[in-house]
Short mmCIF file of all heavy atoms in Angstrom, two decimals:
data_model
loop_
_atom_site.label_atom_id
_atom_site.label_comp_id
_atom_site.label_asym_id
_atom_site.label_seq_id
_atom_site.Cartn_x
_atom_site.Cartn_y
_atom_site.Cartn_z
N LEU A 302 1.68 9.51 -5.77
CA LEU A 302 2.20 10.78 -5.34
C LEU A 302 3.25 11.27 -6.43
O LEU A 302 3.28 12.47 -6.70
CB LEU A 302 2.88 10.75 -3.94
CG LEU A 302 3.29 11.96 -3.33
CD1 LEU A 302 2.08 12.98 -3.11
CD2 LEU A 302 3.97 11.82 -2.01
N TYR A 303 4.06 10.43 -6.91
CA TYR A 303 5.06 10.65 -7.97
C TYR A 303 4.44 10.99 -9.30
O TYR A 303 4.75 11.98 -9.94
CB TYR A 303 6.04 9.48 -8.06
CG TYR A 303 7.00 9.78 -9.22
CD1 TYR A 303 8.15 10.55 -9.06
CD2 TYR A 303 6.80 9.04 -10.44
CE1 TYR A 303 9.00 10.76 -10.12
CE2 TYR A 303 7.78 9.25 -11.43
CZ TYR A 303 8.76 10.07 -11.33
OH TYR A 303 9.64 10.25 -12.32
N LEU A 304 3.40 10.21 -9.77
CA LEU A 304 2.79 10.43 -11.03
C LEU A 304 1.81 11.59 -11.05
O LEU A 304 1.61 12.15 -12.11
CB LEU A 304 2.08 9.12 -11.43
CG LEU A 304 3.02 7.94 -11.85
CD1 LEU A 304 2.13 6.74 -12.23
CD2 LEU A 304 3.95 8.33 -12.98
N LEU A 305 1.28 12.02 -9.99
CA LEU A 305 0.19 13.03 -9.91
C LEU A 305 0.78 14.30 -10.67
O LEU A 305 0.11 14.92 -11.50
CB LEU A 305 -0.29 13.26 -8.59
CG LEU A 305 -1.52 14.18 -8.48
CD1 LEU A 305 -2.73 13.66 -9.31
CD2 LEU A 305 -1.91 14.43 -7.07
N PRO A 306 1.93 14.85 -10.17
CA PRO A 306 2.54 16.05 -10.81
C PRO A 306 2.82 15.85 -12.35
O PRO A 306 2.62 16.70 -13.15
CB PRO A 306 3.76 16.39 -10.05
CG PRO A 306 3.66 15.56 -8.81
CD PRO A 306 2.79 14.38 -9.11
N VAL A 307 3.35 14.67 -12.60
CA VAL A 307 3.73 14.41 -14.04
C VAL A 307 2.44 14.36 -14.86
O VAL A 307 2.37 15.02 -16.02
CB VAL A 307 4.49 13.01 -14.12
CG1 VAL A 307 4.72 12.59 -15.57
CG2 VAL A 307 5.84 13.18 -13.41
N MET A 308 1.36 13.73 -14.48
CA MET A 308 0.09 13.61 -15.18
C MET A 308 -0.49 15.03 -15.32
O MET A 308 -0.90 15.47 -16.37
CB MET A 308 -0.89 12.74 -14.56
CG MET A 308 -0.44 11.27 -14.77
SD MET A 308 -1.38 10.07 -13.75
CE MET A 308 -3.02 10.66 -13.83
N SER A 309 -0.39 15.83 -14.30
CA SER A 309 -0.96 17.22 -14.23
C SER A 309 -0.14 18.10 -15.23
O SER A 309 -0.82 18.84 -16.06
CB SER A 309 -0.87 17.84 -12.80
OG SER A 309 -1.21 19.16 -12.92
N PHE A 310 1.20 18.00 -15.28
CA PHE A 310 1.95 18.73 -16.19
C PHE A 310 1.63 18.29 -17.67
O PHE A 310 1.45 19.15 -18.50
CB PHE A 310 3.46 18.57 -15.94
CG PHE A 310 4.34 19.17 -16.90
CD1 PHE A 310 4.53 20.53 -16.87
CD2 PHE A 310 5.00 18.45 -18.03
CE1 PHE A 310 5.26 21.18 -17.91
CE2 PHE A 310 5.78 19.12 -18.90
CZ PHE A 310 5.91 20.55 -18.88
N ALA A 311 1.54 17.01 -17.91
CA ALA A 311 1.32 16.45 -19.22
C ALA A 311 -0.09 17.01 -19.81
O ALA A 311 -0.15 17.37 -20.88
CB ALA A 311 1.33 15.00 -19.26
N GLN A 312 -1.04 17.15 -18.93
CA GLN A 312 -2.34 17.58 -19.29
C GLN A 312 -2.39 19.09 -19.51
O GLN A 312 -3.19 19.55 -20.31
CB GLN A 312 -3.43 17.20 -18.23
CG GLN A 312 -3.68 15.66 -18.16
CD GLN A 312 -4.58 15.35 -17.12
OE1 GLN A 312 -4.97 16.06 -16.26
NE2 GLN A 312 -5.00 14.04 -17.10
N SER A 313 -1.59 19.78 -18.82
CA SER A 313 -1.59 21.20 -19.01
C SER A 313 -0.67 21.74 -20.24
O SER A 313 -0.93 22.83 -20.74
CB SER A 313 -1.02 21.93 -17.71
OG SER A 313 0.41 21.71 -17.63
N THR A 314 0.16 20.90 -20.72
CA THR A 314 1.00 21.32 -21.86
C THR A 314 0.24 21.69 -23.10
O THR A 314 0.45 22.69 -23.72
CB THR A 314 2.10 20.20 -22.17
OG1 THR A 314 2.85 20.02 -20.98
CG2 THR A 314 3.00 20.62 -23.35
N PRO A 315 -0.75 20.89 -23.52
CA PRO A 315 -1.50 21.26 -24.68
C PRO A 315 -2.22 22.60 -24.69
O PRO A 315 -2.28 23.28 -25.57
CB PRO A 315 -2.59 20.12 -24.86
CG PRO A 315 -1.88 19.03 -24.26
CD PRO A 315 -1.16 19.57 -23.18
N ASP A 316 -2.71 22.95 -23.41
CA ASP A 316 -3.31 24.27 -23.21
C ASP A 316 -2.31 25.36 -23.53
O ASP A 316 -2.62 26.35 -24.18
CB ASP A 316 -3.83 24.46 -21.80
CG ASP A 316 -5.03 23.58 -21.52
OD1 ASP A 316 -5.75 23.14 -22.52
OD2 ASP A 316 -5.29 23.21 -20.39
N LYS A 317 -1.15 25.24 -23.06
CA LYS A 317 -0.12 26.27 -23.26
C LYS A 317 0.32 26.29 -24.77
O LYS A 317 0.49 27.43 -25.35
CB LYS A 317 1.17 25.96 -22.43
CG LYS A 317 0.96 26.17 -20.99
CD LYS A 317 2.19 25.94 -20.23
CE LYS A 317 1.85 26.18 -18.69
NZ LYS A 317 3.04 25.99 -17.90
N ALA A 318 0.30 25.19 -25.51
CA ALA A 318 0.63 25.13 -26.93
C ALA A 318 -0.41 25.88 -27.75
O ALA A 318 -0.10 26.55 -28.70
CB ALA A 318 0.76 23.75 -27.36
N VAL A 319 -1.70 25.82 -27.33
CA VAL A 319 -2.76 26.46 -27.99
C VAL A 319 -2.57 27.91 -27.99
O VAL A 319 -2.93 28.66 -28.86
CB VAL A 319 -4.12 25.90 -27.51
CG1 VAL A 319 -5.23 26.80 -28.05
CG2 VAL A 319 -4.37 24.42 -27.83
N LYS A 320 -2.18 28.39 -26.75
CA LYS A 320 -1.99 29.84 -26.55
C LYS A 320 -0.90 30.48 -27.19
O LYS A 320 -0.75 31.66 -27.26
CB LYS A 320 -2.06 30.09 -25.02
CG LYS A 320 -3.32 29.82 -24.38
CD LYS A 320 -3.32 30.01 -22.88
CE LYS A 320 -4.49 29.49 -22.21
NZ LYS A 320 -4.43 29.60 -20.77
N ALA A 321 0.06 29.69 -27.74
CA ALA A 321 1.33 30.16 -28.25
C ALA A 321 0.93 30.94 -29.54
O ALA A 321 0.01 30.54 -30.30
CB ALA A 321 2.27 29.12 -28.64
N ASP A 322 1.60 31.97 -29.96
CA ASP A 322 1.33 32.78 -31.05
C ASP A 322 2.27 32.20 -32.20
O ASP A 322 3.18 32.92 -32.56
CB ASP A 322 1.51 34.29 -30.78
CG ASP A 322 1.08 35.14 -31.99
OD1 ASP A 322 0.35 34.61 -32.84
OD2 ASP A 322 1.57 36.26 -32.12
N ASN A 323 1.96 31.10 -32.71
CA ASN A 323 2.72 30.42 -33.81
C ASN A 323 2.13 31.06 -35.04
O ASN A 323 0.98 31.10 -35.28
CB ASN A 323 2.63 28.98 -33.73
CG ASN A 323 3.34 28.44 -32.58
OD1 ASN A 323 4.29 28.95 -32.09
ND2 ASN A 323 2.70 27.37 -32.02
N TYR A 324 3.07 31.60 -35.91
CA TYR A 324 2.54 32.02 -37.21
C TYR A 324 3.72 32.05 -38.33
O TYR A 324 4.81 31.86 -37.90
CB TYR A 324 1.98 33.40 -37.08
CG TYR A 324 2.96 34.45 -36.88
CD1 TYR A 324 3.48 35.23 -37.96
CD2 TYR A 324 3.37 34.83 -35.56
CE1 TYR A 324 4.49 36.19 -37.66
CE2 TYR A 324 4.42 35.76 -35.32
CZ TYR A 324 4.89 36.43 -36.48
OH TYR A 324 5.89 37.41 -36.17
N THR A 325 3.32 32.22 -39.44
CA THR A 325 4.25 32.40 -40.58
C THR A 325 3.64 33.53 -41.40
O THR A 325 2.46 33.90 -41.30
CB THR A 325 4.49 31.17 -41.36
OG1 THR A 325 5.58 31.33 -42.29
CG2 THR A 325 3.20 30.67 -42.13
N ILE A 326 4.48 34.03 -42.18
CA ILE A 326 3.88 35.20 -43.18
C ILE A 326 3.87 34.49 -44.53
O ILE A 326 4.89 33.86 -44.98
CB ILE A 326 4.93 36.36 -43.24
CG1 ILE A 326 4.99 37.03 -41.85
CG2 ILE A 326 4.41 37.30 -44.31
CD1 ILE A 326 3.73 37.60 -41.32
N LEU A 327 2.68 34.64 -45.15
CA LEU A 327 2.47 34.11 -46.48
C LEU A 327 2.52 35.26 -47.49
O LEU A 327 1.77 36.30 -47.30
CB LEU A 327 1.18 33.35 -46.62
CG LEU A 327 0.94 32.21 -45.80
CD1 LEU A 327 -0.44 31.56 -46.01
CD2 LEU A 327 1.89 31.20 -45.75
N ARG A 328 3.30 35.18 -48.53
CA ARG A 328 3.29 36.28 -49.58
C ARG A 328 2.84 35.65 -50.80
O ARG A 328 3.05 34.55 -51.15
CB ARG A 328 4.76 36.89 -49.80
CG ARG A 328 5.33 37.53 -48.49
CD ARG A 328 6.42 38.47 -48.79
NE ARG A 328 5.83 39.79 -49.22
CZ ARG A 328 5.35 40.64 -48.29
NH1 ARG A 328 5.41 40.41 -47.02
NH2 ARG A 328 4.81 41.72 -48.67
#
Side-chain angles (χ1 to χ4, degrees):
L302 189 62
Y303 173 75
L304 288 178
L305 189 61
V307 173
M308 290 170 39
S309 174
F310 175 76
Q312 290 176 353
S313 68
T314 302
D316 291 338
K317 290 181 182 179
V319 169
K320 293 178 185 174
D322 187 20
N323 295 323
Y324 71 93
T325 188
I326 299 295
L327 305 180
R328 300 202 81 79

